[in-house]
Amino acid sequence: MHIAYPPGVWGRPATILVLLATATPQLAFRMLDSSTGTWTEATTVAQFSVAPLCSIAGAVIYFQYRICRQSALGWLTLFLTLYGVQSVALAMIRLNNDGSYQRPGWAVVIDLTVALGVAVAALVVRSRVCRVDPLAVGLLLGLIVGSIHLRLDVGAQSITQYLPPVAALGIVAVALWGFAAHRAVRTSGPLPTWLTRRVVAAMVLLTLGRVDVVPTAAPQVEGAIAVTASILGATLLLCAALAGLRGEIQHHEEWLESLGTKVALMEAQQVDQRSRMHEITNTVAGIACASRLIHDHGNLRREDRARLEGMLDKEAARLVRILGEQRAATTPVAPAPAYPALPPIRTRHSSVPAPPTATVGSSSPVLAVLDLDTVLEPLVCAQQALGRSVVYTPTGMRIHGDADGLAEAFNVLLDNSRKHAPDATTTIEAEETDGIAKIVVSDDGPGVPPSIAENGFTWETRGETSEGQGLGLCLARQRVIDSGGRLDLVRGTSGARFVVRLTPAHGPTAAPAPTEPPAATESEQALS
């Protein structure tokens, strides 16, 4: 039964190309020496041109073995290299002796002995791991066998008269090499059927092409069989070896693609976890400080206590939602489809992962009409509980956005001001102009360093003296974008000045985020 090559691994054009390359020396010989060339010379040319191709096929399979480390390929490399080097030695003998052996009996005996030894070795090593370098060992054994061929053909006595008919010995050699090839490819986990059958058929044809299987009284028949079998065998072997190597390379490319997908997903999950932990840390810090103030200061004014308690309730509720999303993000899901069904994801070759836009805070934002004062007052209260000077006058402004996302974004801006300008006064101003709700968070501190101003919204970018992780501004910008707005840093001002633009709302109904964020003015430059 015909076993085709796997789809996309090998095709008819490639086979034709290999066949032409293999037959070219024989075609050139017939064209250049068509008047005097004999079939014996043609056989010699065929064997001399085909023998190195066996070693090349062994080298190709060796590369495949080095990729996948399958023992069957290692043993097959060893046997093919041995066969190829031995065939080169036999071809050289015939080339130097006008197309024949001086001692043909010894050539047949050595070939039979080697074939028998390889067949026995293939049976012995069928369950063993290849622990040697098969290419080096095959080359060494081939050189030894070739040297024995050369030595006995030149200096030994003829033993042809003591042997059975050469044709019978040739058939035995063909059978032994075919059996050895079959056992080699069935070693330590069988190789694909298409590869196994092609290698076995190629070894049979190659052996058939170098032994005398018909009486010498019919040199035309013998020569035609030898030349045809040699060319077809070499073509089949080379095609099988190249197809196997190409298939293995494609398999590893797909495996690396799948591995890249998994690494990208792991990086995305890490980014998401770090962003959540950043938000949780800031929220817990505000809750802990307000809680200490309530319990350690019994002389708080009633309105101050009420504000702190209200802030605790709202921040605790937000923390519960964040933790709920955290559990949902880490809950095990059904196993992903087995390789190679994972979609390819190309990652940047960089040691610093860039967070995918849709991954930072992977839960979908809940967009609704919000009261800006309700979003900001707990954050202002928390900052004031930490001893910060924060000025904010309620405006009653209503905006479109995600409450938790915007709370995190404003919390990052306030917390950055607290860390980098602890003695400064932070001011929050909100106004609606030209149909845009603009909220400005500024302080009278030292301002943003130029290095941070250039890349401040990039993941893991922080100043030289900063003890943070470089996540805050990147997360803040993404949260504002999730609410259909934009976050910009205004340059050329004293202190730090950030502007958040959102879409204003003029009713209590929920509404989706706008498709385009509000544009910045010329004096305000967005960072990317």
Side-chain angles (χ1 to χ4, degrees):
M1 182 178 62
H2 175 68
I3 303 297
Y5 289 106
V9 171
W10 201 254
R12 185 173 299 174
T15 301
I16 294 175
L17 184 62
V18 173
L19 177 60
L20 290 176
T22 306
T24 295
Q26 187 62 224
L27 295 175
F29 168 75
R30 302 307 298 177
M31 292 174 62
L32 296 175
D33 201 12
S34 58
S35 59
T36 59
T38 64
W39 277 108
T40 300
E41 293 172 342
T43 303
T44 302
V45 171
Q47 292 184 9
F48 191 76
S49 61
V50 162
L53 299 181
C54 298
S55 299
I56 292 175
V60 171
I61 294 178
Y62 176 73
F63 286 131
Q64 184 181 355
Y65 163 72
R66 297 294 295 180
I67 293 175
C68 66
R69 309 298 296 184
Q70 190 170 352
S71 291
L73 294 174
W75 296 120
L76 183 59
T77 298
L78 193 155
F79 297 148
L80 285 179
T81 306
L82 167 60
Y83 183 88
V85 176
Q86 178 197 8
S87 298
V88 171
L90 291 174
M92 291 177 63
I93 293 174
R94 295 192 62 161
L95 191 64
N96 292 330
N97 295 328
D98 297 327
S100 63
Y101 302 112
Q102 293 184 20
R103 306 291 186 269
W106 282 112
V108 174
V109 169
I110 296 173
D111 200 23
L112 279 173
T113 303
V114 174
L116 180 62
V118 172
V120 173
L123 287 174
V124 172
V125 303
R126 62 184 177 182
S127 60
R128 298 179 183 273
V129 178
C130 184
R131 300 187 183 280
V132 298
D133 189 295
L135 189 64
V137 174
L139 181 62
L140 178 62
L141 293 177
L143 291 174
I144 293 174
V145 173
S147 300
I148 295 174
H149 271 296
L150 292 172
R151 178 69 181 86
L152 294 180
D153 188 73
V154 173
Q157 294 182 352
S158 177
I159 59 172
T160 307
Q161 63 271 23
Y162 305 111
L163 299 176
V166 175
L169 294 178
I171 293 175
V172 174
V174 171
L176 284 175
W177 277 110
F179 174 78
H182 179 266
R183 296 314 308 172
V185 296
R186 303 295 294 180
T187 300
S188 300
L191 297 175
T193 303
W194 64 267
L195 179 60
T196 302
R197 296 193 177 187
R198 281 170 172 77
V199 170
V200 173
M203 292 303 298
V204 170
L205 288 171
L206 288 169
T207 309
L208 189 66
R210 78 178 193 186
V211 300
D212 298 320
V213 294
V214 296
T216 55
Q220 295 86 355
V221 177
E222 179 183 344
I225 292 176
V227 171
T228 304
S230 297
I231 293 176
L232 292 180
T235 301
L236 197 59
L237 184 61
L238 268 178
C239 288
L242 291 171
L245 178 60
R246 185 178 181 186
E248 194 64 40
I249 291 174
Q250 288 180 352
H251 174 82
H252 273 68
E253 285 178 348
E254 293 172 354
W255 178 79
L256 289 174
E257 212 169 59
S258 173
L259 184 62
T261 297
K262 294 176 182 177
V263 171
L265 291 175
M266 291 175 63
E267 289 180 347
Q269 290 173 358
Q270 182 189 36
V271 167
D272 182 63
Q273 296 297 320
R274 291 179 65 184
S275 67
R276 293 181 188 277
M277 287 304 301
H278 186 277
E279 184 177 2
I280 290 172
T281 301
N282 289 342
T283 303
V284 169
I287 292 176
C289 184
S291 179
R292 279 199 307 271
L293 284 175
I294 291 175
H295 290 87
D296 296 344
H297 296 75
N299 57 348
L300 283 175
R301 293 183 304 170
R302 178 173 299 180
E303 55 271 23
D304 291 338
R305 177 181 292 272
R307 288 181 60 215
L308 289 174
E309 290 176 347
M311 184 272 289
L312 285 177
D313 291 339
K314 292 178 181 179
E315 289 298 280
R318 187 161 72 97
L319 183 60
V320 168
R321 290 194 296 272
I322 296 172
L323 292 175
E325 294 172 359
Q326 179 87 357
R327 285 193 298 270
T330 57
T331 300
V333 295
Y339 156 84
L342 286 172
I345 294 180
R346 301 294 184 183
T347 57
R348 299 183 303 112
H349 297 287
S350 171
S351 58
V352 180
T357 298
T359 304
V360 180
S362 58
S363 60
S364 299
V366 180
L367 302 179
V369 173
L370 307 175
D371 183 351
L372 180 62
D373 297 336
T374 303
V375 175
L376 290 177
E377 283 179 351
L379 306 178
V380 172
C381 185
Q383 291 292 321
Q384 292 173 344
L386 292 171
R388 292 274 293 125
S389 174
V390 179
V391 177
Y392 171 67
T393 302
T395 62
M397 181 182 294
R398 301 176 69 81
I399 55 174
H400 291 297
D402 172 49
D404 288 342
L406 290 177
E408 181 183 0
F410 286 116
N411 193 38
V412 165
L413 298 179
L414 293 172
D415 200 57
N416 276 358
S417 179
R418 176 181 65 84
K419 292 178 180 177
H420 302 295
D423 299 326
T425 297
T426 302
T427 304
I428 304 176
E429 300 171 304
E431 62 177 352
E432 181 181 340
T433 57
D434 299 328
I436 297 175
K438 185 166 68 174
I439 302 96
V440 179
V441 180
S442 60
D443 63 50
D444 55 1
V448 180
S451 60
I452 301 301
E454 291 293 335
N455 304 292
F457 292 114
T458 305
W459 188 255
E460 292 186 330
T461 297
R462 60 180 182 178
E464 296 179 357
T465 60
S466 174
E467 297 181 357
Q469 303 178 59
L471 311 181
L473 289 179
C474 178
L475 294 174
R477 163 167 278 188
Q478 186 58 54
R479 295 299 183 264
V480 174
I481 291 175
D482 290 342
S483 291
R486 62 182 298 154
L487 170 61
D488 302 309
L489 169 64
V490 181
R491 305 186 192 182
T493 62
S494 59
R497 183 180 177 87
F498 292 90
V499 179
V500 177
R501 292 178 180 79
L502 297 166
T503 302
H506 301 286
T509 58
T515 56
E516 294 292 336
T521 61
E522 294 183 357
S523 62
E524 298 162 345
Q525 302 178 22
L527 301 179
S528 57

